Amino acid sequence: MADDSKAKVIPLHKHSGSLRRHPSALAGPVDQASGTQAAAVVRDLGERRGSAGSTGAAEPTPSEFARRVSGVAAFLRERITGDYQVDEFGFDPHFNEAVVLPLLRVFFKDWFRVEVSGIENLPLDGPALVVANHAGVLPMDALMLSVAVHDHHPIQRNLRALAADLVFDLPMIGPTARKAGHTMACTSDAHRLLEAGELTAVFPEGYKGLGKRFKDRYKLQRFGRGGFVSAALRTKAPIVPCSIVGSEEIYPMIADVKLLARLLGVPYFPITPLFPLAGPAGLVPLPSKWHIAFGEPISTSDYEAGAADDPMITFELTDQVRETIQQTLYRLLASRRNMFLG
């Protein structure tokens, strides 16, 4: 396992959404590896195994496949030597593309069969604040949203999600979340990411959304005090409402055992039809059909200086975003056949 202390910590560009590379990174073959190449080799191996029974499957040429294998070897060498780069939040793009995203795509493509619409509402460059509904007991919606942005955006931008402190206190999960580009849900971190030109995601319902019961599905909870709106106003970043259908059904929560939640130090202890009665099998999410819809951006560039400190402005913008997401959820729900077929 690589020693993260050797990794170069690279400050974020302002309004660039990218990492600075150390000049030496341009010289050696090790640094020419890409996480995308590593993930591509895994896909190619699967295609080769299944090519005998497939029709019209495109198989990479031997030279292309060899190049990708070489890329994987170089990528692994970076891991071992610690010769890779992270930004000030701990984001490791190679790790994200080679490890995190390929694992999440299994759920995105094959399990939840996620449809994405409105991706053109995300900017090609510069900052934007994506505000989405939050549900499903476990934050699978945040993970699927990151895949949707990366894989469907024309230039495959990375989404930097703001998550609860509890996520970063968990062993293995916390460091992985950092490497995948996410950070704590606080106004200061949101401001820094937007100032750096990053696509940033926030889920204002928080635990109230994640832990709501199945009977209250797709009814948005309160959006907090509007801290995300203040960050967008200060940085003049557009706000993009995002509505996610499908996440409410993955773990239908029928009860919350508050005593157990307090004993375990967690926000809620869910009882679902399969958990905890079915044991570990109850942790497998149900294969609901998902749709992620990005709405039209709400501009903040016309607001005067000091608008971020005006509670009436932040309240009005917060309410506008919330209402937009809620109405889009109703529209998407009205057009689907059922929760598993879409």
Side-chain angles (χ1 to χ4, degrees), residues 9-13 18-20 86-88:
V9 180
I10 309 300
L12 290 166
H13 275 305
S18 64
L19 299 173
R20 291 194 183 124
V86 298
D87 71 9
E88 61 189 276

Side-chain angles (χ1 to χ4, degrees), residues 177-210:
R178 287 284 186 190
K179 287 178 178 289
H182 313 312
T183 188
M184 290 184 291
C186 62
T187 304
S188 60
D189 279 9
H191 184 271
R192 287 164 62 201
L193 284 169
L194 292 172
E195 272 289 311
E198 299 284 349
L199 275 181
T200 307
V202 65
F203 304 86
E205 292 177 279
Y207 290 130
K208 300 187 300 294
L210 272 181

Side-chain angles (χ1 to χ4, degrees), residues 62-198:
S63 60
E64 174 71 9
F65 188 76
R67 185 181 65 81
R68 291 180 176 178
V69 170
S70 176
V72 171
F75 176 79
L76 293 176
R77 191 165 35 199
E78 288 181 353
R79 298 292 107 183
I80 295 170
T81 62
D83 189 17
Y84 57 93
Q85 297 156 351
V86 298
D87 71 9
E88 61 189 276
F89 292 94
F91 178 39
D92 182 344
H94 282 187
F95 179 84
N96 189 46
E97 293 192 7
V99 178
V100 177
L101 289 174
L103 291 174
L104 295 179
R105 286 189 187 107
V106 175
F107 289 96
F108 187 91
K109 294 181 178 180
D110 302 324
W111 196 251
F112 298 133
R113 298 147 291 144
V114 183
E115 293 181 12
V116 179
S117 62
I119 198 71
E120 66 277 3
N121 290 317
L122 297 178
L124 289 177
D125 54 34
L129 185 66
V130 178
V131 182
N133 57 304
H134 207 23
V137 177
L138 295 179
M140 291 294 293
D141 47 11
L143 301 178
M144 296 302 101
L145 185 59
S146 67
V147 180
V149 171
H150 182 276
D151 288 4
H152 288 262
H153 193 276
I155 61 170
Q156 296 188 317
R157 295 192 67 180
N158 292 298
L159 185 71
R160 313 294 293 272
L162 302 174
D165 295 3
L166 177 62
V167 171
F168 302 99
D169 293 335
L170 297 172
M172 294 185 65
I173 293 177
T176 301
R178 287 284 186 190
K179 287 178 178 289
H182 313 312
T183 188
M184 290 184 291
C186 62
T187 304
S188 60
D189 279 9
H191 184 271
R192 287 164 62 201
L193 284 169
L194 292 172
E195 272 289 311
E198 299 284 349

